[in-house]
Amino acid sequence: MEKGYEVHGIIRRASISNTARIDHLIEKNAVILHDGDLSDSSGITAIIRNVQPDEIYNLAAQSHVQVSFDVPEYSGDVDALGVLRILEAVRNVGLEKTCRIYQASTSELFGKVEEVPQRETTPFHPYSPYAVAKQYGFWITKEYREAYGMFAVNGILFNHESERRGENFVTRKITLAAGRIACSLQEKLQLGNLDSLRDWGYAKDYVECMWLILQHDTPEDFVIATGEQHTVRDFTQKAFAAVGIELRFEGSGLEEKGIDTKTGKVLVEVNEAWYRPTDVDNLWGDPTKARTVLGWNPQKTTYEELVQIMALHDLKLAQKEAALKEAMKGIE
Ligand code: G4F
């Protein structure tokens, strides 16, 4: 929108409103929404025929890795065949020479990693139903590029976080809990694998890189990452520090605990329920190609800044919730 585009989006029908994260745009009529679903090819084709887009960014997915173990078939339908449906729709309405397509591929493709850090040439080893489906999405995008000469490309994105991140992804789960614990609205936070390593970047910076990939002269695939990795434990410690709580970790495995150094209270526990049947635990991207070919800055927002942005945003939310609770007490 900042670049002057007319932006259209596809929204799945739900019986309750699910637009909280874009309501500020809807209010300003800044985005045009169409009812649709990646599992429905006739609808996708109709939308693409009506809109006649110059660029398509396919960011739609069943994007939760752990959930993909519970809904593997649905994840495959949307994350794999959904990509094919878009590519075919673009061909069927005759836009294959003019419409550029960006496919949101993922560092989960590297999965049980065969090289550290991971770059464009690192072999894939997907390690969840989600990643296996995304592998199809990657290759079908490349296939349509090679078979039909379409400008169809993959951004292989490492984890991209922000204050709008879904609440059941680990970073947001941590920052929401840190804010609520600091405001005495919650006692504890339960997490899974604290040793897992991620290359976490700021979503806003990554969207800029997606756009650069589509403006490039030639259609090519790129890794988008910061080039730094940290553990879930480190993210937790930094997020709690941002809201004024110093944590020290003691013990190991399921017995590990995060303890408030001031009060001695246990604030973080490990719960087996958050472990995955197979977990990807060493993601670390090498953004050299994006930096040198596209001129993108992988460190525009640093890891420390990212944790601060998210933690302070969620502290404010918690403070509002606490104030409301206090005001309600007065009324009662
Ligand atoms: O935040 P996560 O759920 O993200 P994950 O699985 O890395 O996937 C995200 O990033 C991918 C890009 O690399 C995207 F393709 C994907 O769509 C999604 O956006 O988990 C991160 C790590 C995992 O190793 C997980 O086992 O954190 C570990 N973890 C530890 N405790 C937890 C928890 N994850 C969640 N969701 N909840 C926990 O309590």
Side-chain angles (χ1 to χ4, degrees), residues 63 65 106-107 130 159 165 168 170 173 192 196 198 276 279:
S63 67
V65 176
T106 162
S107 55
Y130 165 81
N159 297 48
R165 183 55 140 154
N168 57 358
V170 77
K173 181 173 167 181
S196 188
R198 284 291 181 275
R276 300 169 182 186
D279 196 16

Side-chain angles (χ1 to χ4, degrees), residues 141-245:
T141 300
K142 200 162 179 206
E143 174 58 21
Y144 273 53
R145 176 163 90 223
E146 291 173 357
Y148 304 118
M150 290 167 70
F151 197 111
V153 293
N154 291 283
I156 305 173
L157 263 68
F158 282 65
N159 297 48
H160 36 294
E161 313 297 317
S162 83
E163 58 278 34
R164 291 191 203 167
R165 183 55 140 154
E167 299 178 5
N168 57 358
F169 294 91
V170 77
T171 55
R172 192 79 200 289
K173 181 173 167 181
I174 295 167
T175 55
L176 280 166
R180 298 189 87 246
I181 290 171
C183 293
S184 307
L185 293 166
Q186 184 175 327
E187 292 270 310
K188 279 179 190 169
L189 164 66
Q190 293 199 330
L191 292 169
N193 184 1
L194 296 175
D195 290 316
S196 188
L197 287 155
R198 284 291 181 275
D199 179 332
W200 282 295
Y202 192 37
K204 192 174 179 186
D205 300 344
Y206 283 33
V207 172
E208 187 72 29
C209 192
M210 292 177 196
W211 178 78
L212 286 173
I213 290 174
L214 278 202
Q215 312 316 308
H216 191 48
D217 298 340
T218 49
E220 289 177 44
D221 304 324
F222 288 86
V223 158
I224 314 183
T226 69
E228 260 187 42
Q229 66 172 182
H230 302 273
T231 59
V232 169
R233 183 184 300 102
D234 183 75
F235 192 102
T236 310
Q237 234 160 1
K238 288 207 166 55
F240 275 76
V243 302
I245 302 171

Side-chain angles (χ1 to χ4, degrees), residues 256-272:
E256 186 165 353
K257 312 241 179 279
I259 298 164
D260 184 337
T261 53
K262 253 196 215 137
T263 63
K265 265 188 170 171
V266 173
L267 301 184
V268 181
E269 285 175 346
V270 177
N271 185 331
E272 213 172 356

